[in-house]
Amino acid sequence: MSTEAARRNGEWLDAWDPENEETWDKGLAWKTLWITTFSLFLAFVAWFLPSALIPKLNPLGYSFSTSQLYWMAAMPGLSAGLFRLLWMVLPPVMGTRKMVALTSLLLVFSTLGWGVRVQEPTAPYWELMVLAFLAGIGGGAFSGFMPSTSYFFPKRKQGTALGLQAGIGNFGVSAVQLLTPYLIGFSWLAFFGSHQTISMPGKAPQDVWYQNAAFIWIPLMVLAAVLAWTMLKSVPITANIRQQFDIFSNVDTWLMTLLYIMTFGTFSGLAAQFGLLMADLYGISNPDIVSGTGAAAKVLVEGYDVPDVVKFVFLGPLIGAGARVLFAPLTDRTGGAMWTVVSGVGLIASIAFTLPALTPDTTSAATLDAGFDRFLWGMLAIFLFSGIGNASTFKQMPMIFEKRQAGGVIGWTAAIAAFGPFFFGIGVTTLGPTTFYAIGIAWAVMCVAITWMRYARKGAPKPS
């Protein structure tokens, strides 16, 4: 169907000016926000489902190396960044309705695949890598959904609207990681497939149903597609694909990209790798702490209770997403730039606090417990300040750029920052966590200086 025919059939709005209070349809704007946010929440579930399952693959019977697991957890970040480069140009071309409905259906493929392949430890490594790559479609959706939503709201409301959508969408990360330990224990949910047996050091083997962690979301993804197709409209924006790329001649596009790498790149990178890093430093993957695997595993440090990572990994994404939601309205009142400075300073301090805990002291259970506590609290602080920065940068962009460019910049910066899980996984594997975190401090120092000089100080060239 042509765009003109679609407009006649009511899919495309004839005209839309959210800056005109008298004609702005507030109800349609908020309905669009809630439906697309529901779909975005599920997109983040699909994107980070592998991060909830990968730390458990070896206890389920697979025998992948630590490097293979890090690469697998990094793959959704690599693909999400690539998919975001595609999704960022879709809103003016496809419109909100088609884009959201189609994306919601695409989420089913990787989610279904993971639900099938965790039931038996027989999948080859390449197949799980393909499923990890397809999970990145959920991350790619962000660069289409956010610009699309920005079309429906006036600038004075975009900090709140985009903060709510992104923050609630980010809750999908913590939801899939929080619910997975509980869902896998309910045999009555396992309509398809058989149980698995999992063993943890010092604990009796347990029957689980890991397919529940994937299959439970599929009906909701189908529902999101139906809601989008039947209830959403599309805003006509004059911007073909070539026109959308004129954002790259604007220096602020590149500076905001650096800032969003600091905030969302940190959030997404840590969210994807948090469980593996915890297991590698203080859990079952540290050979100085645990010897052997499965039922034969033995704790080498007397008195140390090895943490089950799935009970902790949801906390970081939960705090980061909550900060994004709570601080979004504040950015509408005070502007985003100063909060980006706060985010950067907080990241510098919290990363520095965490650094000593990245080298566990395995001499006793007491030193391990103290190190684990420092690691956990430091990581949660990093998530908090990255969430604040996620809200503030998305307030800055609509204020810095004109309407047509703002959507493209939001999509572009989100695309590059989505590589966070990939670069975090590769950085930790190749450089080691201590060196990689030190680079993170240097990056945050650079971003604080950029924000202060360009956007936050009195008389700044682009106050935002």
Side-chain angles (χ1 to χ4, degrees):
M1 180 183 294
S2 68
T3 300
E4 197 60 41
R7 285 177 179 165
R8 288 198 299 270
N9 289 338
E11 175 187 345
W12 292 81
L13 298 166
D14 290 329
W16 185 260
D17 183 10
E19 302 299 336
N20 187 336
E21 186 68 30
E22 294 181 0
T23 61
W24 178 46
D25 188 343
K26 184 185 300 185
L28 175 60
W30 284 100
K31 179 174 71 174
T32 302
L33 175 70
W34 296 127
I35 293 174
T36 56
T37 298
F38 175 55
S39 179
L40 186 62
F41 171 88
L42 296 170
F44 272 83
V45 166
W47 187 18
F48 281 87
L49 177 64
S51 73
L53 298 177
I54 289 170
K56 288 299 183 184
L57 290 180
N58 283 353
L60 285 171
Y62 285 98
S63 56
F64 298 125
S65 68
T66 299
S67 178
Q68 285 179 311
L69 292 174
Y70 271 114
W71 272 99
M72 194 185 301
M75 183 54 66
L78 173 62
S79 61
L82 297 175
F83 283 127
R84 284 189 177 190
L85 295 175
L86 171 62
W87 256 260
M88 66 177 278
V89 302
L90 293 183
V93 178
M94 291 186 67
T96 302
R97 177 180 174 235
K98 286 190 179 74
M99 181 187 64
V100 176
L102 176 61
T103 302
S104 300
L105 289 179
L106 289 175
L107 301 176
V108 172
F109 292 99
S110 64
T111 306
L112 178 63
W114 280 104
V116 171
R117 278 316 201 174
V118 293
Q119 296 181 56
E120 296 288 343
T122 57
Y125 183 68
W126 68 263
E127 184 176 332
L128 294 181
M129 288 291 278
V130 169
L131 290 176
F133 183 87
L134 292 176
I137 292 174
F142 188 88
S143 281
F145 284 31
M146 297 297 285
S148 175
T149 297
S150 72
Y151 300 155
F152 285 86
F153 287 86
K155 285 188 175 182
R156 68 183 184 280
K157 295 285 188 181
Q158 286 188 14
T160 298
L162 296 182
L164 285 172
Q165 180 166 68
I168 295 173
N170 290 168
F171 276 127
V173 182
S174 55
V176 71
Q177 294 176 338
L178 168 64
L179 294 178
T180 292
Y182 300 98
L183 293 173
I184 63 173
F186 296 130
S187 60
W188 55 271
L189 280 177
F191 297 107
F192 306 101
S194 58
H195 74 273
Q196 306 91 48
T197 301
I198 193 168
S199 299
M200 287 291 292
K203 299 178 182 178
Q206 178 185 5
D207 288 339
V208 290
W209 293 264
Y210 261 89
Q211 64 268 33
N212 294 352
F215 291 160
I216 195 71
W217 302 107
I218 293 177
L220 297 178
M221 293 170 180
V222 175
L223 174 62
V226 172
L227 290 175
W229 189 258
T230 58
M231 300 182 69
L232 293 185
K233 302 287 186 180
S234 299
V235 174
I237 297 292
T238 303
N240 59 36
I241 293 177
R242 181 183 60 81
Q243 289 172 324
Q244 292 184 64
F245 282 92
D246 67 1
I247 61 175
F248 299 120
S249 62
N250 190 330
V251 66
D252 290 299
T253 298
W254 301 104
L255 295 180
M256 290 307 302
T257 300
L258 296 177
L259 301 188
Y260 202 56
I261 290 172
M262 176 186 73
T263 62
F264 188 77
T266 298
F267 171 84
S268 62
L270 291 183
Q273 304 288 348
F274 192 15
L276 282 176
L277 186 60
M278 185 184 298
D280 198 34
L281 295 177
Y282 291 95
I284 59 174
S285 298
N286 188 334
D288 294 327
I289 296 176
V290 176
S291 173
T293 60
K298 179 182 178 181
V299 180
L300 301 179
V301 182
E302 185 178 354
Y304 180 61
D305 186 12
V306 179
D308 186 353
V309 298
V310 298
K311 295 181 179 179
F312 295 96
V313 292
F314 75 93
L315 289 171
L318 179 66
I319 289 173
R324 189 167 197 165
V325 172
L326 292 175
F327 279 83
L330 291 177
T331 65
D332 271 338
R333 297 176 187 174
T334 63
M338 189 53 68
W339 284 110
T340 302
V341 172
V342 171
S343 169
V345 172
L347 284 170
I348 293 168
S350 52
I351 295 173
F353 175 83
T354 310
L355 273 175
L358 301 178
T359 308
D361 183 348
T362 60
T363 55
S364 69
T367 57
L368 274 175
D369 286 335
F372 177 74
D373 288 343
R374 187 183 186 107
F375 170 77
L376 181 61
W377 285 110
M379 292 287 282
L380 296 184
I382 295 172
F383 275 108
L384 170 66
F385 288 107
S386 67
I388 293 172
N390 287 337
S392 61
T393 50
F394 265 55
K395 174 60 179 178
Q396 287 182 260
M397 285 182 270
M399 303 302 294
I400 295 170
F401 301 93
E402 62 168 295
K403 180 179 180 180
R404 178 181 62 80
Q405 285 195 325
V409 174
I410 288 172
W412 165 258
T413 57
I416 300 304
F419 286 111
F422 175 73
F423 286 118
F424 192 96
I426 302 310
V428 169
T429 303
T430 58
L431 301 175
T434 300
T435 300
F436 188 72
Y437 273 55
I439 293 173
I441 292 177
W443 190 280
V445 170
M446 174 188 68
C447 290
V448 169
I450 290 172
T451 307
W452 178 256
M453 295 301 297
R454 182 75 175 173
Y455 307 113
R457 66 184 174 87
K458 185 176 181 180
K462 291 284 186 176
S464 56

